[in-house]
Amino acid sequence: MIVLAACSKGAAKPPPAAEQHEAAAPVVTQGDVGVPLYQKLCAQCHGADGKGYKSDHAPSLVNPTFLASATDDFLKRSIALGRPGTAMAGYGKEVGGPLEADQVAAIVAFLRAQVKTTPDRMPNVAAGSPERGKALYATNCQKCHGDQATRGEAPMLANTNFLQAASDEFIAYAIVHGRPGTPMEAWGMKLSDQSLGDVVAYVRSFASPQQAPVGELPPPTGKEPLFINPDGKPPADFKLTADPNQKPRYVSIDQVKKALDQKRKMIIIDARPPSDWMHVHITGAVSIPYFEMKRLDEIPKDAWVIAYCACPHHLSGIVADELQKRGYAHALVLDEGILEWHRRGYPVVAAQGVTPPPADPSAAASLHAQPK
Ligand code: HEC
Ligand code: HEC
């Protein structure tokens, strides 16, 4: 909570002489408007200070080389449209998120205010050969960034929304200058201009323009039935795991899948922004996002409730915490999250064209359940 307020004033130039007499009242900048929005919606994964990695895979948003190379348009698109198939939801109203365009802009202003950067000169990107780039990528990049089929710990480059928002120059800049203080090192001295062009061309080839545009399910109405199998018996034999010094609350996807097969009575809550629910959700799951939990009032106290998200615990944890605070005895968190559920082919309702997310070998590290 500390640094933020102090840094959020930005680098305002002194006003021109004619306006100076009006400048006495404290100036509320757009960045100030962005602070509470950022803290409420983004800090869970990107950290209160924006440095990332609070929840797995969420990168830094305030790295100097990132902010010096990312245009406002790149930032706004990334926030508004998200990165489907990852934990990054679309936050813009236009895709079913909570934010108006000016609120997205306010968050961008807040991010910009954290680190003073000016737009840097962008590298020239030589026309490259994706075939040559492929070999370079396999040796140097794949272990962190993965490819279309498998993700790594670093941001997914094989993501349509990323590739639509990122220019060749933005991609090349990240490669040349790296992201100091993160595992992304600067490759500028190690790659020739031609090799740089080749790698960029290969990354670009991850986009598949022939892929059918992904559709959307209708937005949640808030009237979807809460209970799955309202006439069934409650789950019988969940074996829960726990964080240190906490009450056990993590339930594995295999156990929940089995409970569904046994027609157990329960509530499954999708804690992500509704934009993600509209993309794909567990069959029967209700949308109760972590930032708007009104529908919890409707849930009877003895219900078995399982919340999930993609990250895979942070947003579902907020909903489970709230239920626990209100005295619910069975407020659980789906341990592996929805991405793994979807990968396994467990029942989902998905918009047209939505495919299971790429494999994630690193995901097991953050889990509580014993993998079996
Ligand atoms: C050791 C792991 C690692 C390796 C190897 C690596 N990267 Fe990265 N890369 C990262 C991480 C982590 C980030 C995000 C850093 C941050 O938080 O800003 C990143 C960021 C990027 C970005 C910016 C993505 C975005 O959305 O902002 C690009 C582009 C990129 N890397 C390309 C490459 C290429 C091409 C290579 C091979 C030449 C490579 N990286 C090698 C870990 C790695
Ligand atoms: C549930 C966790 C989560 C939340 C909440 C979240 N993000 Fe993200 N965000 C991610 C992840 C993960 C990525 C990287 C996508 C990937 O895995 O490839 C990302 C990527 C981004 C990027 C692109 C960064 C880059 O280097 O390309 C921006 C910008 C961003 N997020 C901003 C935000 C903002 C602003 C908010 C709040 C409105 C927010 N995020 C909320 C997890 C989250």
Side-chain angles (χ1 to χ4, degrees):
M1 304 286 113
I2 1 109
V3 206
L4 300 171
C7 301
S8 60
K9 290 287 183 277
K13 285 202 208 95
E19 290 172 15
Q20 260 172 10
H21 63 280
E22 291 174 9
V27 184
V28 178
T29 65
Q30 228 193 352
D32 293 334
V33 177
V35 177
L37 291 171
Y38 177 87
Q39 296 303 341
K40 182 173 180 197
L41 298 173
C42 322
Q44 298 80 5
C45 299
H46 293 285
D49 55 6
K51 290 197 177 132
Y53 306 100
K54 187 82 201 301
S55 128
D56 47 355
H57 300 320
S60 171
L61 301 177
V62 296
N63 197 282
T65 61
F66 173 59
L67 288 176
S69 58
T71 59
D72 280 4
D73 181 61
F74 175 90
L75 293 169
K76 287 178 188 165
R77 289 174 72 140
S78 300
I79 299 167
L81 307 180
R83 304 270 167 85
T86 78
M88 180 64 196
Y91 282 85
K93 275 257 154 73
E94 64 270 42
V95 295
L99 296 176
E100 304 285 355
D102 61 337
Q103 295 176 306
V104 172
I107 292 178
V108 169
F110 159 73
L111 294 174
R112 292 256 183 239
Q114 301 314 299
V115 180
K116 225 181 134 210
T117 53
T118 41
D120 200 0
R121 203 164 55 88
M122 301 302 268
N124 289 324
V125 186
S129 137
E131 291 73 39
R132 282 197 309 259
K134 184 175 182 182
L136 277 164
Y137 186 91
T139 319
N140 300 306
C141 323
Q142 188 141 3
K143 65 173 185 283
C144 294
H145 286 285
D147 56 20
Q148 290 105 319
T150 310
R151 76 159 301 156
E153 306 247 18
M156 265 310 271
L157 304 177
N159 181 283
T160 310
N161 280 13
F162 167 73
L163 289 168
Q164 279 173 358
S167 64
D168 286 357
E169 288 73 21
F170 171 83
I171 296 171
Y173 189 96
I175 300 170
V176 170
H177 296 276
R179 298 272 167 84
T182 81
M184 180 65 195
E185 58 178 308
W187 293 82
M189 305 300 277
K190 294 192 218 166
L191 293 179
S192 68
D193 286 355
Q194 186 56 59
S195 296
L196 178 66
D198 293 343
V199 170
V200 171
Y202 179 63
V203 168
R204 208 29 95 199
S205 76
F206 284 143
S208 47
Q210 73 277 16
Q211 214 177 6
V214 166
E216 268 175 11
L217 300 166
T221 60
K223 303 251 177 338
E224 288 79 14
L226 287 169
F227 278 104
I228 298 172
N229 306 317
D231 301 324
K233 293 199 189 107
D237 51 359
F238 279 165
K239 288 194 179 52
L240 306 180
T241 48
D243 286 323
N245 308 321
Q246 299 291 320
K247 239 180 92 187
R249 68 170 180 183
Y250 297 101
V251 59
S252 68
I253 55 177
D254 288 337
Q255 297 184 75
V256 175
K257 165 70 165 53
K258 191 167 143 209
L260 278 181
D261 292 343
Q262 294 173 339
K263 305 259 179 286
R264 300 291 179 176
K265 176 179 178 176
M266 55 192 167
I267 296 173
I268 300 185
I269 293 179
D270 187 320
R272 304 169 301 163
S275 49
D276 271 347
W277 187 91
M278 289 158 65
H279 191 69
V280 55
H281 59 261
I282 293 180
T283 304
V286 282
S287 169
I288 306 184
Y290 66 106
F291 50 82
E292 175 52 81
M293 296 190 269
K294 260 208 216 82
R295 275 207 91 184
L296 295 186
D297 298 345
E298 300 167 35
I299 300 179
K301 279 271 153 45
D302 61 348
W304 284 78
V305 188
I306 301 146
Y308 71 81
C309 62
C311 39
H313 297 145
H314 280 66
L315 308 186
S316 47
I318 293 171
V319 172
D321 284 347
E322 178 62 26
L323 287 168
Q324 239 166 306
K325 205 172 80 192
R326 297 185 187 189
Y328 286 77
H330 312 299
L332 311 183
V333 166
L334 188 68
D335 198 16
E336 298 93 329
I338 177 151
L339 297 181
E340 186 58 20
W341 179 280
H342 194 188
R343 275 183 207 111
R344 295 263 184 106
Y346 292 172
V348 294
V349 178
Q352 205 189 351
V354 172
T355 50
D360 186 355
S362 65
S366 63
L367 299 184
H368 298 79
Q370 295 305 312
K372 44 165 208 262

